[in-house]
Amino acid sequence: MTEPTTMSDQPAEDTTASKASDTPVADKPTDDEPTGKPADDKPPADPFGKFAPEAANPPGRLRRMAGGFGRALGHEWTLAALFSLVIAAAMTWPALKYPLYTIPKDIWDPTLQAWQMAWSGHAISTNPLGIWDSNTFYPESYSYAFSDTLLGYFPAGLIGTGPAAALLRYNIVFVLAFALAFFGAYALARQLGARVPGAAVAGAAFAYAPWRWEQAGHLHVLSSGGIALCLAMLARGHGYSLRHGYRPELRRPGWALAGWLVAAWQISLGFGIGLPFAYVLAGIAVVGVIAYVSARLFFWSEPKPFGWKLAGADALGGLVFAAVGVLMAVPYFRVLELHPYAERSIGEVSLYSPPFIGFFTAPDTDVVWGDAHKVARDTLFTNGSGEKTLLIGFALYGLAAAGLIYSTWRWWQRILLLLGVLVSGALAMGTEFFGGKVYEILYDHLPGWNAIRTPGRLIIWTTLFVGLLAAGAVSAFGDRARDLARERVPARPHLVLALAMFLPALLVLGEGLQKMDFPTVPLRPAAMSELSGPVMVLPSNQLNDENVMLWSTDGFVSMVNGGSGFTPQSQSQLRELMKNFPDQASVEALRAIGVKEVLILKNPSYEQPDDVSDQARTATGEEFGLKREELEDGILFHLNP
């Protein structure tokens, strides 16, 4: 990436000549002129002066501001950001067609995450210290930490209230997550030395690899753009690129600090992908410390790495990142203390561990390969759960293979990128790699690793390394095209050749086209506006409760309902009791925890056959001290009339 020209790079002005030209000099007297004329007499006007060009006026403030705005608008990073937004809106269409009513993928996990963003904004604006005790899973503590929280998106949650605002917020952030992934990988590839077409390939791969559509219902997995952007900022701040190596004159402490802040924001979105990212940053920090100490103590060549300002920025940024990580981790440790059974078992990890064929299998939502890979998908899902379709893209595989042979990167850099592909790919296979022995070592000994239920999500790192290998190949072809352009007479780039350099990026985007469903989310039942809480909404199950959580964003009434990656035993037991509501056992259990209302929905979004008994829809409940209230779309029982 080119650095802006500094003042020291500009040619010095001839101030002497400038002053001489600005100072009028009196004409010398000639022999024909009388001497001793008064000092205040002016010399005769030059008869040809009116034909001279007028001196240019310096630009005013408005013109300078307009010029600065124009330069900023035409800057590469501005254009890249705008392109990222446009391509994200197109690739995720029709996410923004009806954002108040529809949601990507399905109406289950996405509605849970829409609630998460809404709750974070509500809690931050009303009771920040109580953010971890949400309005759901009543009366459990730390219920907001039952799954990845998306807490970093809380500024969006400050805008608007109710389910419609939550859906609009979710759809916008969904599109922005893809835009940031493209822009972050593009910026990283450019900082490392890739040409624009090569960086576009890296961005397209990282944002729109086919496997991402399998994760379309998991916004915390899609929100990986901060990883690439952080690495780009850290590399820029330290003056490092793969193509040019270490250039200390380009060190920028401010960029390094910004990179650490982006890393802190990234980990605040969740530990599912944030924890491996933290380990990668820790490894980079260890290598950096070793390089710093070695250069200071053992190697006397100049210039030394880092410098005090940059070291200070790294120290401050690292502390902020660590502090955010600790503050995010504390509630999860408390959940484990209160619910020891919440820890993932290696058996559960095995259910989500994809075999090698998963890297060549696309999800059914991929336009190009979805239908063709149906048999392979059926094989993957025969024994185990989903999230095993990990296709990065066949075009990208080919470009990465070419990048191992012909590339802008040096041979040892290609070897390191290949090593990154192999290691991250092996970890993404979980227990399917080498009999699970490698993954089990990490599971048993690496802090926090046992919380990662789905190893396949580590494909994020494989995609990044493969994209950088492909970027090196495309950039090398770009270098050759530049040389051919210079050989032309006159030397100028050929338009067709310049456009052809972007063909690889178009191929990668083509393989990433999606055909997802964008279902309409059920409207909030009018009966929920009658609730004062704490309440139990029936039927209660994982899927229906996720919709109930979304509906609760209008007021955030306290409720027993809740759906997440973890279900406390107390909720499972209460759901079982509620199958016989109203009876003595269910009513006493509800009153014991302080529940005052039970709402039975007449048209739930999802109901299993035995979730609600037939008597619940007809009983008065008077024998148990209940008061029944018939509503248009629900039946409300008051436990303490």
Side-chain angles (χ1 to χ4, degrees), residues 61-81:
R61 178 177 297 180
L62 291 179
R63 288 180 59 188
R64 292 197 302 270
M65 292 175 61
F69 178 76
R71 288 190 297 272
L73 192 61
H75 196 279
E76 176 185 349
W77 300 125
T78 305
L79 296 177

Side-chain angles (χ1 to χ4, degrees), residues 501-527:
M501 293 307 304
F502 289 93
L503 181 60
L506 293 178
L507 291 175
V508 174
L509 289 174
E511 280 195 289
L513 293 174
Q514 53 83 19
K515 52 177 182 178
M516 289 192 306
D517 292 329
F518 289 82
T520 300
V521 178
L523 294 176
R524 177 177 181 261

Side-chain angles (χ1 to χ4, degrees), residues 146-301:
F146 285 175
S147 59
D148 278 342
T149 63
L150 297 174
L151 181 58
Y153 287 136
F154 82 85
L158 297 172
I159 304 173
T161 59
L167 290 178
L168 176 62
R169 184 186 304 120
Y170 180 90
N171 282 294
I172 292 175
V173 172
F174 178 81
V175 175
L176 291 179
F178 286 92
L180 182 59
F182 183 98
F183 182 79
Y186 176 90
L188 177 60
R190 285 291 281 154
Q191 173 60 32
L192 295 180
R195 299 180 69 85
V196 170
V201 167
F206 194 63
Y208 303 107
W211 66 262
R212 278 188 167 263
W213 304 119
E214 177 73 15
Q215 300 288 343
H218 304 132
L219 186 57
H220 58 295
V221 179
L222 300 177
S223 300
S224 57
I227 293 176
L229 185 61
C230 160
L231 296 176
M233 288 179 166
L234 289 176
R236 183 175 178 84
H238 291 80
Y240 180 78
S241 72
L242 292 179
R243 190 166 192 168
H244 304 290
Y246 174 58
R247 292 180 290 176
E249 68 277 8
L250 298 182
R251 293 178 302 199
R252 298 292 185 272
W255 278 107
L257 179 60
W260 284 108
L261 296 180
V262 170
W265 172 78
Q266 177 67 58
I267 204 170
S268 72
L269 297 177
F271 284 109
I273 63 173
L275 184 65
F277 176 48
Y279 277 113
V280 169
L281 286 183
I284 294 175
V286 169
V287 173
V289 170
I290 293 174
Y292 179 82
V293 173
S294 300
R296 290 286 175 180
L297 298 181
F298 305 109
F299 302 101
W300 301 101
S301 60

Side-chain angles (χ1 to χ4, degrees), residues 279-456:
Y279 277 113
V280 169
L281 286 183
I284 294 175
V286 169
V287 173
V289 170
I290 293 174
Y292 179 82
V293 173
S294 300
R296 290 286 175 180
L297 298 181
F298 305 109
F299 302 101
W300 301 101
S301 60
E302 293 292 343
K304 302 296 184 185
F306 295 94
W308 292 112
K309 289 184 178 180
L310 184 55
D314 282 331
L316 177 60
L319 287 174
V320 172
F321 174 75
V324 172
V326 170
L327 291 175
M328 289 289 297
V330 167
Y332 290 93
F333 284 125
R334 291 289 296 135
V335 170
L336 284 175
E337 290 178 9
L338 296 171
H339 311 279
Y341 52 88
E343 183 175 335
R344 310 294 187 186
S345 67
I346 195 67
E348 186 177 3
V349 173
S350 298
L351 292 176
Y352 291 90
S353 295
F356 183 70
I357 193 177
F359 294 105
F360 303 95
T361 307
D364 60 349
T365 49
D366 184 68
V367 169
V368 177
W369 304 111
D371 295 337
H373 291 181
K374 182 180 185 305
V375 175
R377 281 195 306 275
D378 292 342
T379 302
L380 288 175
F381 300 155
T382 299
N383 297 315
S385 186
E387 300 191 43
K388 295 182 179 180
T389 52
L390 305 181
L391 178 66
I392 300 176
F394 292 108
L396 197 67
Y397 288 154
L399 291 170
L404 290 173
I405 303 170
Y406 183 65
S407 176
T408 293
W409 318 133
R410 298 177 178 87
W411 67 268
W412 60 270
Q413 294 169 341
R414 293 176 237 166
I415 296 299
L416 288 178
L417 289 174
L418 176 61
L419 185 62
V421 171
L422 296 177
V423 171
S424 60
L427 293 177
M429 292 177 64
T431 58
E432 289 290 322
F433 177 74
F434 200 60
K437 295 180 180 179
V438 174
Y439 200 88
E440 287 183 20
I441 292 174
L442 298 177
Y443 180 89
D444 292 333
H445 301 288
L446 204 59
W449 202 265
N450 53 10
I452 301 177
R453 179 186 64 175
T454 312

